[in-house]
Amino acid sequence: MSDITTGDKIKGSIKEGLGKLTGNSDLKHEGEAVHKAEKDEHKLQKEQAKAAEEASKMHAHAAKAGVHTEVKENGEVGVGAFDKAVGSIKETVGGLVGAKGMESEGKAVRKADEAGHSMGKHEDKAIDKSGDLSKHKAEGHIHH
């Protein structure tokens, strides 16, 4: 659901246009802020979608490898240290001896852990964009 209403967009365009027309830079900047808020909201939604996609990938890879994911002390989500070590060994040994199944299981553990890290990065970006939107709301550029 969008925090930026059609009314906010119209008001922003009017303020920006009037500001340009009259030379009122404050009015122009208020209008521009609405457009910036709209872009920030779009980026927030995009990052949230990417985080959800990476979470889905992480769980699929973890299930394939038969391991569980965990939230680490630093807040990151990924594969536990033991499972990660076992996965690395399986990938390496499987590759060396030509055991494709073993190698594939090891790769799945690595991919689950990588997807967890990627998910965390997208969540961090979404949090940043959410903060940007809160700033726009606090400044009165958007309402809701």
Side-chain angles (χ1 to χ4, degrees), residues 22-23 28 36 51 54 56 76 89 98 111 119-120 132-133:
T22 62
K28 178 184 166 212
K36 170 97 171 82
E54 291 299 326
S56 179
E76 287 185 2
I89 291 167
K111 288 180 180 181
M119 178 187 72
D132 291 346
L133 281 176

Side-chain angles (χ1 to χ4, degrees), residues 22-138:
T22 62
N24 184 332
S25 62
D26 289 339
L27 198 57
K28 178 184 166 212
H29 292 305
E30 282 183 40
E32 290 170 343
V34 174
H35 297 295
K36 170 97 171 82
E38 185 178 11
K39 287 179 184 176
D40 287 344
E41 182 177 50
H42 178 71
K43 288 178 184 176
L44 166 65
Q45 292 168 348
K46 190 175 177 181
E47 292 302 332
Q48 287 172 328
K50 285 180 182 178
E53 182 182 331
E54 291 299 326
S56 179
K57 285 181 189 176
M58 176 186 64
H59 293 299
H61 288 303
K64 179 180 179 182
V67 297
H68 299 284
T69 56
E70 62 182 35
V71 178
K72 299 175 182 178
E73 285 183 27
N74 63 1
E76 287 185 2
V77 178
V79 175
F82 177 77
D83 287 330
K84 195 172 172 180
V86 170
S88 179
I89 291 167
K90 283 183 174 185
E91 184 175 5
T92 302
V93 172
L96 289 173
V97 299
K100 295 296 180 194
M102 181 186 291
E103 183 181 14
S104 179
E105 285 179 23
K107 283 182 182 179
V109 172
R110 180 175 44 80
K111 288 180 180 181
D113 197 54
E114 289 170 355
H117 292 294
S118 180
M119 178 187 72
K121 288 177 186 175
H122 290 298
E123 286 176 338
D124 289 346
K125 287 180 181 180
I127 289 168
D128 289 346
K129 288 301 161 195
S130 180
D132 291 346
L133 281 176
S134 295
K135 179 182 170 196
H136 291 300
K137 286 179 189 176

